[in-house]
Amino acid sequence: MRAGDSMSEKVKLIYGSHEYSYPVVTGTENEKGVDISSLRKDSGFVTMDYGYLNTGSTKSSITFIDGEKGILRYRGYNIEDLAEKASFPETAWLLIYGELPTDEQLTAFRRLLTENALVHENLQSFFRAMPPSAHPMGILCSIMNAIGLFTPRFYDDENKADAFGLMVASLISKIRTVAAFAYKASIGEPFVYPDAEKSYCANFLNMMFSSKARNYEVDPLLVKALNALLIVHADHEQNCSTSTVRMVGSSHANLYASICAGICALWGPLHGGANQAALETLLQIQQSGIPLRDVMERAKDKKDSFKLSGFGHRVYKSYDPRAKVLKNLMQELFNHSHFSDPLLDIAFELEQLALSDEYFKERNLYPNVDFYSGILYRAMGIPANMLTVMFAIGRLPGWIAHWKEMHDDPSSKINRPRQIYTGPAERAWIPLNNR
Ligand code: ACO
């Protein structure tokens, strides 16, 4: 029996004198689900699961997470190994196509990334039309959608393997150019075009920070850090933005439209936007000198909407393995180079306070991927409002992999949850003069 097949094991549901039974679905790592898809037909009941705390929306062979043990694997490979040994393009290939690329496949993929790094020149007017104060996530989403309009043949050809491969490489390559152009537009500098001689990450840093007015040497330590950052963000199974991509894609909306919906979902401060919020909290602490204990008290106060961004996770109930990778990377970067940052000590101290605090311990609130990523990006010179854009560049291969998995599955259906209606019962129309 294959992982994910329904087993002869059943779960029984008893309501009054009726008994219903539903098949158990077991995953590769022995995680169990109950397939209740026929429950409404059998009994008239729908299941209620606010915020999908306990809903498996699909079977998936892309990413495995064990939130209790702090395990994260892409296609079976541990995140720690990938972050240390793989390149981001290699990881993207692994997520999308299921296996590590051969030498030949990786060379061809890198060539496609290089050849498709430019965005259409007409898009320059889009960047210029945006107000300089526009949030880069808004710009990213608008322009990624617009890019689709410049290559409409992809909408029709996405079922053909070659066209899909080209579309994927084009998206992964162009998102980095769009992000760098959005930044340059926001600071009023001319765009720096992609350089065919540079690797994926070095090219991005060069487009962000070089200019005719100053020399910019891409630092290999920062390239290594950026590569690992993008890898740890590359997928995280059915999170809010990925579920959004799948939801939108389930109506057979094209890949560009589905990705843009994912970018919008990622923007929120409870999801990808938490990295900006976490960094801003550290900056405020540094600038105002507010005692860390006061920050902790605010985070615990139920009357205060403030939360300690970068802590807590829906799935991880122990240390987020991605935060561990980033913490190690950060220590390596700051201990063995000229980089330094006063926020580092504040972050370490805040983490220690949280890990020993009863409120945080009881609720299993540990640092998540967003807690340390901001400090690493700061070392590169990337400003706080670009952090969620960086997350989106990293997450793009995961979104594409999930869209493809759903698209290739002939049994997938349009996603359409049910509800329990709690509004008024039927009532008679009231003419305007009687209201
Ligand atoms: N600071 C203070 N209290 C918190 C925090 C936090 N960061 N996170 C959770 N809590 C508290 C909640 O208030 C709640 O308390 P209660 O049981 O007394 O009501 C309890 O811990 C459980 O939290 P929920 O919000 O119910 O957990 P949920 O799984 O719905 O939310 C989430 C998870 C959104 C990540 C939450 O922990 C949070 O808001 N964290 C801060 C934002 C953040 O860092 N988001 C990034 C997540 S990683 C990612 O998306 C890439």
Side-chain angles (χ1 to χ4, degrees):
M1 179 173 285
R2 285 168 310 157
D5 283 351
S6 301
M7 294 174 58
S8 49
E9 270 181 276
K10 302 268 183 211
V11 167
K12 283 194 175 143
L13 191 73
I14 299 167
Y15 180 71
S17 58
H18 300 281
E19 185 175 302
Y20 310 97
S21 74
Y22 296 97
V24 170
V25 183
T26 305
T28 312
E29 302 286 342
N30 210 28
E31 68 276 29
K32 304 254 187 221
V34 190
D35 179 352
I36 46 81
S37 35
S38 65
L39 175 69
R40 188 168 176 281
K41 193 161 62 95
D42 300 342
S43 66
F45 278 79
V46 298
T47 50
M48 295 302 290
D49 181 17
Y50 305 102
Y52 307 135
L53 264 89
N54 197 43
T55 291
S57 58
T58 185
K59 294 174 198 163
S60 177
S61 56
I62 301 170
T63 287
F64 172 71
I65 302 176
D66 184 327
E68 274 71 33
K69 295 191 187 131
I71 294 172
L72 169 61
R73 294 186 200 127
Y74 299 160
R75 304 281 190 185
Y77 297 100
N78 281 319
I79 193 65
E80 294 82 358
D81 283 339
L82 291 168
E84 193 190 325
K85 297 168 189 155
S87 68
F88 179 61
E90 209 173 4
T91 307
W93 181 281
L94 169 72
L95 284 167
I96 296 166
Y97 299 109
E99 296 296 338
L100 287 169
T102 61
D103 198 10
E104 203 181 318
Q105 286 167 332
L106 187 59
T107 306
F109 186 49
R110 283 191 194 282
R111 195 176 57 244
L112 282 183
L113 291 174
T114 303
E115 289 170 357
N116 289 281
L118 278 175
V119 294
H120 198 287
E121 280 292 292
N122 289 1
L123 279 166
Q124 290 215 11
S125 52
F126 272 67
F127 286 101
R128 297 226 168 82
M130 302 283 178
S133 58
H135 195 287
M137 279 300 271
I139 300 180
L140 185 74
C141 173
S142 311
I143 295 199
M144 288 308 284
N145 206 16
I147 281 177
L149 306 177
F150 283 88
T151 40
R153 72 183 181 85
F154 284 151
Y155 297 160
D156 303 323
D157 288 353
E158 60 194 15
N159 290 323
K160 298 181 193 148
D162 280 0
F164 181 77
L166 181 57
M167 177 165 58
V168 164
S170 171
L171 269 165
I172 293 176
S173 191
K174 283 181 177 38
I175 193 172
R176 160 194 66 159
T177 311
V178 172
F181 281 16
Y183 173 66
K184 286 289 194 189
S186 76
I187 58 169
E189 282 193 4
F191 303 139
V192 174
Y193 283 77
D195 177 345
E197 299 303 316
K198 292 194 163 46
S199 71
Y200 188 91
C201 293
N203 216 336
F204 172 73
L205 290 173
N206 192 58
M207 283 190 278
M208 286 284 288
F209 300 116
S210 74
S211 102
K212 288 221 164 66
R214 67 178 166 269
N215 291 326
Y216 176 77
E217 283 292 318
V218 180
D219 186 325
L221 276 176
L222 296 183
V223 170
K224 182 182 169 199
L226 178 56
N227 183 63
L229 273 158
L230 296 181
I231 290 174
V232 299
H233 285 91
D235 193 43
H236 214 232
E237 50 118 304
Q238 311 307 320
N239 58 85
C240 176
S241 55
T242 303
S243 300
T244 302
V245 169
R246 288 187 90 122
M247 171 70 87
V248 173
S250 78
S251 74
H252 293 185
N254 65 69
L255 182 56
Y256 292 90
S258 308
I259 295 300
C260 290
I263 295 174
C264 290
L266 188 73
W267 194 352
L270 295 188
H271 189 16
N275 54 14
Q276 178 176 346
L279 185 63
E280 283 170 352
T281 302
L282 294 176
L283 283 166
Q284 271 166 19
I285 294 171
Q286 186 209 10
Q287 281 153 16
S288 66
I290 172 174
L292 295 185
R293 291 203 176 273
D294 291 3
V295 177
M296 295 289 295
E297 289 314 310
R298 266 198 78 190
K300 295 188 282 182
D301 182 357
K302 294 292 170 203
K303 287 187 234 100
D304 191 329
S305 62
F306 172 78
K307 277 192 177 176
L308 199 53
S309 287
F311 278 81
H313 197 273
R314 170 61 61 81
V315 179
Y316 292 119
K317 299 303 165 200
S318 64
Y319 213 102
D320 180 338
R322 302 167 300 172
K324 244 184 224 164
V325 168
L326 295 188
K327 192 175 174 185
N328 291 341
L329 197 66
M330 210 173 55
Q331 281 169 322
E332 194 187 319
L333 183 73
F334 287 94
N335 290 345
H336 304 293
S337 68
H338 62 278
F339 294 101
S340 67
D341 191 337
L343 296 191
L344 198 62
D345 290 338
I346 299 175
F348 284 154
E349 212 181 314
L350 201 55
E351 176 184 340
Q352 282 319 311
L353 275 178
L355 292 182
S356 56
D357 186 282
E358 276 316 306
Y359 172 101
F360 277 71
K361 283 204 288 198
E362 268 167 26
R363 290 167 179 75
N364 296 314
L365 302 173
Y366 293 87
N368 60 47
V369 67
D370 289 323
F371 189 58
Y372 286 118
S373 59
I375 299 181
L376 279 164
Y377 281 129
R378 242 165 81 90
M380 293 171 204
I382 294 172
N385 71 349
M386 280 289 290
L387 294 188
T388 317
V389 169
M390 300 310 299
F391 194 151
I393 298 175
R395 184 54 55 88
L396 181 60
W399 289 333
I400 296 172
H402 283 270
W403 186 93
K404 180 176 186 316
E405 183 175 66
M406 186 185 62
H407 202 253
D408 290 352
D409 177 0
S411 69
S412 76
K413 294 187 185 320
I414 186 165
N415 290 0
R416 203 312 186 175
R418 293 272 181 171
Q419 64 163 21
I420 295 291
Y421 173 69
T422 56
E426 186 183 17
R427 38 187 178 165
W429 167 253
I430 309 167
L432 196 54
N433 55 359
N434 282 352
R435 284 179 219 161

